[in-house]
Amino acid sequence: MGILDFLKRKPEATATVARERLRIIVAQERSTRGAPDYLPMMRNELLEVIKKYVHVDLDAISINFERDSGHEILELSVTLPEGKQSAKSETKGEAKTG
Amino acid sequence: MTAEIIVVTSGKGGVGKTTTSASLATGLAMAGKKVAVIDFDVGLRNLDLIMGCERRVVYDFVNVVHGEATLKQALIKDKRHDNLFVLAASQTRDKDALTQEGVEKVLDGLSEDGFDYVVCDSPAGIEKGAHLAMYFADHAVVVVNPEVSSVRDSDRILGLLASKTRRAEKDESPVTQHLLLTRYNPARVAIGEMLSVKDVEEILGIEVVGVIPESENVLTASNNGIPVIVDATSQAGQAYSDTVARILGEERPLRFIDVPKKGFLQRVFGG
């Protein structure tokens, strides 16, 4: 660090920000990789149906797609709002491939 | 004897795919291999310019696929290396001009002609051209810049290489993946302005096969139509030579990834 460096404006260490943002988005995209293209649309339609009966928002539904040898597992989890008779209900559906 | 197929791909455009294809093909030829380098960017031909053979293109890749020219007629022999040939992309045809069967026929033809390596320069994106460039690959060089959108796109490409290639579909051993970090600026990495080699390796979960420093010699080389690897005095050229040696199985330490040590006057006065 030279004497004259004190006069220069110190740049922000933005590489750390880039690294953290990439870690999150890459992990998220990998988790949905290989899943069918209809998944996001199905998620929205399911939400519409559920909304008819319970008031939930988009974040309340999570869909997981896993591939085992020979068969695929579609896991759908809906978190119902506090105060209802069951706080959380889980539904599982399995679909065979091939 | 079948030729080894190497795809140079990235997802994002402008990261250095064509520069890398030209230097990789030239480097393999300099190592004594018989090499063909094919431009898959139909409609946006550019490899010919970087290789310096743009005025000698008579027939192109699509002509061969459609049987309008033989492979022998369409392959352009490199000025400097007798064992290096360029197959240019078509400028005028539509994107559907290439078919999987057509590409396979050309690659088989090159194997029959005794080529050791075929380097496939992929177009940007994940559309048909990019898919065809990677489909038959044995090796993939994924070119990435230390920049968020490039890193994200290359992760997508790594996923496609593991699922949408002939090796994946036929349950053969997977495509060998090589990550090549280009436009690297050690000075900016040192002050925390740019993702480091380690950052990129950790995010993507794969080691780099080479790091090419950002260098003015790359532009000079493309201005002149000479692949930068030919310039043995430039850091970028030397870094490409190291990369080719590593792809051929040699072990070499990474160079040009640290800031050069400053002299006494620089340390006192900065700069």
Side-chain angles (χ1 to χ4, degrees):
Chain A
M1 182 71 66
I3 294 163
L4 299 181
D5 285 352
F6 291 109
L7 302 174
K8 292 181 192 160
R9 196 176 57 85
K10 210 178 172 195
E12 274 180 83
T14 51
T16 320
V17 181
R19 189 176 62 217
E20 292 317 309
R21 290 174 63 214
L22 277 168
R23 273 211 184 117
I24 293 165
I25 195 69
V26 165
Q28 191 195 322
E29 287 177 349
R30 280 183 185 179
S31 70
T32 55
R33 186 181 288 169
D37 293 340
Y38 59 73
L39 223 55
M41 207 196 291
M42 189 174 81
R43 180 187 149 113
N44 287 338
E45 282 184 31
L46 282 169
L47 183 73
E48 290 306 312
V49 174
I50 291 164
K51 264 185 172 169
K52 281 186 189 168
Y53 303 93
V54 205
H55 183 73
V56 289
D57 56 36
L58 193 65
D59 297 336
I61 298 182
S62 78
I63 295 180
N64 269 315
F65 189 82
E66 279 172 48
R67 192 164 282 159
D68 259 344
S69 51
H71 67 290
E72 293 160 342
I73 300 172
L74 188 65
E75 191 183 86
L76 173 70
S77 154
V78 184
T79 311
L80 298 176
E82 296 277 337
K84 296 274 182 269
Q85 54 266 55
S86 69
K88 194 175 177 182
S89 86
E90 252 184 40
T91 325
K92 266 192 191 181
E94 284 198 21
K96 293 242 192 259
T97 53
Chain B
M1 181 62 202
T2 53
E4 294 268 317
I5 317 279
I6 306 179
V7 60
V8 177
T9 182
S10 70
K12 192 176 181 295
V15 296
K17 279 185 297 295
T18 302
T19 300
T20 297
S21 298
S23 279
L24 172 61
T26 306
L28 289 167
M30 287 159 87
K33 310 290 182 188
K34 188 174 178 186
V35 186
V37 55
I38 306 179
D39 191 346
F40 273 74
D41 204 346
V42 171
L44 291 168
R45 175 200 289 170
N46 270 320
L47 179 68
D48 55 338
L49 269 180
I50 303 301
M51 293 293 293
C53 64
E54 70 277 8
R55 295 182 59 184
R56 291 190 289 140
V57 179
V58 181
Y59 296 110
D60 58 51
F61 192 14
V62 173
N63 291 140
V64 180
V65 166
H66 288 200
E68 295 151 3
T70 62
L71 251 181
K72 205 174 175 178
Q73 286 173 308
L75 287 171
I76 306 161
K77 194 192 233 179
D78 185 62
K79 277 177 285 190
R80 289 165 217 88
H81 307 91
D82 286 343
N83 48 342
L84 174 60
F85 297 83
V86 178
L87 187 52
S90 170
Q91 266 302 39
T92 52
R93 303 282 187 131
D94 65 311
K95 296 258 174 198
D96 293 325
L98 291 181
T99 59
Q100 193 159 298
E101 297 72 35
V103 172
E104 187 171 22
K105 199 180 72 182
V106 170
L107 295 176
D108 287 347
L110 290 168
S111 276
E112 280 164 30
D113 285 351
F115 278 87
D116 299 306
Y117 286 93
V118 180
V119 176
C120 302
D121 182 19
S122 172
I126 51 173
E127 300 297 312
K128 195 176 177 190
H131 169 73
L132 287 175
M134 72 165 68
Y135 187 75
F136 297 99
D138 301 304
H139 298 260
V141 174
V142 178
V143 184
V144 61
N145 288 170
E147 180 271 325
V148 286
S149 49
S150 175
V151 174
R152 179 200 211 169
D153 286 359
S154 58
D155 191 62
R156 189 84 197 278
I157 290 291
L158 290 169
L160 293 176
L161 286 166
S163 60
K164 306 282 185 207
T165 51
R166 180 168 66 175
R167 283 179 170 271
E169 285 177 5
K170 296 205 165 173
D171 257 333
E172 293 173 19
S173 60
V175 177
T176 313
Q177 299 176 342
H178 307 278
L179 187 68
L180 182 66
L181 189 53
T182 62
R183 299 230 167 118
Y184 196 68
N185 187 327
R188 298 193 77 180
V189 172
I191 55 173
E193 277 188 351
M194 184 181 267
L195 292 167
S196 67
V197 178
K198 200 168 144 255
D199 289 338
V200 177
E201 285 183 331
E202 277 178 10
I203 293 161
L204 296 175
I206 166 175
E207 277 186 22
V208 296
V209 72
V211 178
I212 313 299
E214 195 170 43
S215 158
E216 53 204 51
N217 302 99
V218 173
L219 180 60
T220 311
S222 81
N223 285 343
N224 289 326
I226 301 170
V228 71
I229 197 169
V230 175
D231 182 2
T233 60
S234 72
Q235 290 194 350
Q238 291 173 46
Y240 270 118
S241 295
D242 288 350
T243 303
V244 173
R246 287 188 203 108
I247 289 173
L248 287 170
E250 209 177 298
E251 276 194 28
R252 288 196 187 181
L254 290 174
R255 290 193 279 173
F256 320 119
I257 56 169
D258 296 312
V259 186
K261 290 261 189 309
K262 286 181 177 180
F264 173 73
L265 287 174
Q266 277 180 312
R267 254 185 284 144
V268 174
F269 295 105

